[in-house]
Amino acid sequence: MSTIPAFSFTTVSSLVSEPGAASRLGQLVAERFPGVRRILIVTDAGFLRTGLVETPRLSLEQQGMHVAVFSEVVADPPEDVVLTAVEFARDHDTELVIGLGGGSSMDVAKLVAVLANNTQALQQMYGIGKVTGQRLPLIQVPTTAGTGSEVTNIAIVTTGETTKMGVVSPQLYADVAVLDAALTLGLPPVVTAATGIDAMVHAIEAYTSKHKKNPLSDMLAKQALSLLSANLVKACENGRDLAVRQAMLLGACLAGQAFSNAPVAAVHALAYPIGGIYHVAHGLSNSLVLPHVLRFNLPQAAGHYAELAGIVVPHASGSEEARAQALIVAMQQIAKITGIETTLQQVGITEQDLDRLADDAMLQTRLLGNNPREVTREDARAIYAAAL
Ligand SMILES: [Zn+2]
């Protein structure tokens, strides 16, 4: 029997998975944070327009709480949005922050919680373990099943035209993550597909993470893939099925817990430049390069991929290599069935762009270091060429 490698594992301290839970958010807050009266909800304008903020807001107000809503979060939030949100939180004497939205809203909520009653500047927090102070109580309520941001300790901020910085710190783990699929019923199929595939990538990359793979993240990754692979296409075909949506939300959350401890790798490293330069959404960027990175990784990762094939394509048989290939084909099939773009050309990328993409991907050293197989610049370019 092989020795279990030393590892550590951290996640949020409390998780509530329950359709309709957002409608009793006030009760959840009152139970866990008695005496807290002034709440800030961080969201984006699009989600505010759906009207779905009203039920949790009302539930908080019914507990006698004062609720302020900051709805200026945008995708890939720049520094000034974060700082505006912090000012807003201070102006309202915020005692507790609720992130209600996709990854961007939850990332901004994390930063508001650590910045609002802290003298440390945002710029001093970039990097790993740089946050010095304590944060305000923080609750995360995702409205997409993808990023897993509700259970991760990272927040990404856009600092320049295409550059991004990350704050990674234990304080960014929320006190409570609330998974309520009722908030995700209206997501269009293409968003459901891309964010769902992103969550599957989190599980796959966590399972093959080079240095921090561990038994807990493995268990979570497998359960996440089981839920996501069984429900993703169904969620795209019938977005109003609450049970299917709840399974997706839980799958994405478990994958988030897995990759927060066994980090993602080359799929994300190669996806980031596609998002940064061409403003392709995160989930779709990952989906576009996924099969080609997995194929590149086969010499080192076929064994692990074959194990995951047992979950995603249970009927797969034959050699380890054949089962690993079956996993890759299955992931391509999901993208195809759901109708999202499958080639770089479909999102406007041409042969001339490949060098710049490869150069930018090589800057993602933190992610590339987690990949089961070493990626050179030539490899990165070849993977993009295959994905063209
Ligand atoms: Zn991702």
Side-chain angles (χ1 to χ4, degrees), residues 147 198 202 259 268 282 286:
T147 68
D198 180 38
H202 295 156
F259 92 84
H268 275 72
H282 175 80
N286 274 288

Side-chain angles (χ1 to χ4, degrees), residues 96-114:
L96 181 145
V97 181
I98 299 175
L100 177 62
S104 298
S105 290
M106 291 190 284
D107 279 11
V108 172
K110 290 171 188 175
L111 295 171
V112 170
V114 293

Side-chain angles (χ1 to χ4, degrees), residues 36-97:
V36 164
R37 282 289 167 269
R38 301 189 65 82
I39 313 288
L40 173 69
I41 293 177
V42 177
T43 188
D44 63 85
F47 189 72
L48 187 67
R49 271 196 300 276
T50 65
L52 291 168
V53 177
E54 288 318 304
T55 305
R57 187 216 298 253
L58 199 63
S59 143
L60 292 158
E61 286 171 351
Q62 280 167 350
Q63 296 290 328
M65 294 163 193
H66 175 272
V67 184
V69 178
F70 179 84
S71 61
E72 291 169 41
V73 175
V74 293
D76 306 311
E79 280 181 327
D80 66 309
V81 166
V82 176
L83 299 177
T84 307
V86 171
E87 276 311 302
F88 189 87
R90 287 178 180 152
D91 289 347
H92 288 83
D93 300 320
T94 300
E95 296 173 311
L96 181 145
V97 181

Side-chain angles (χ1 to χ4, degrees), residues 115-171:
L115 284 161
N117 61 353
N118 201 327
T119 52
Q120 193 183 7
L122 174 58
Q123 288 79 4
Q124 296 169 334
M125 292 181 174
Y126 294 133
I128 297 171
K130 299 283 171 58
V131 178
T132 54
Q134 294 302 307
R135 60 157 171 75
L136 293 174
L138 175 64
I139 297 178
Q140 298 283 29
V141 189
T143 62
T144 62
T147 68
S149 179
E150 68 277 11
V151 288
T152 69
N153 62 340
I154 181 164
I156 306 282
V157 180
T158 301
T159 51
E161 193 63 31
T162 60
T163 52
K164 291 185 181 186
M165 298 288 277
V167 178
V168 185
S169 209
Q171 289 96 326

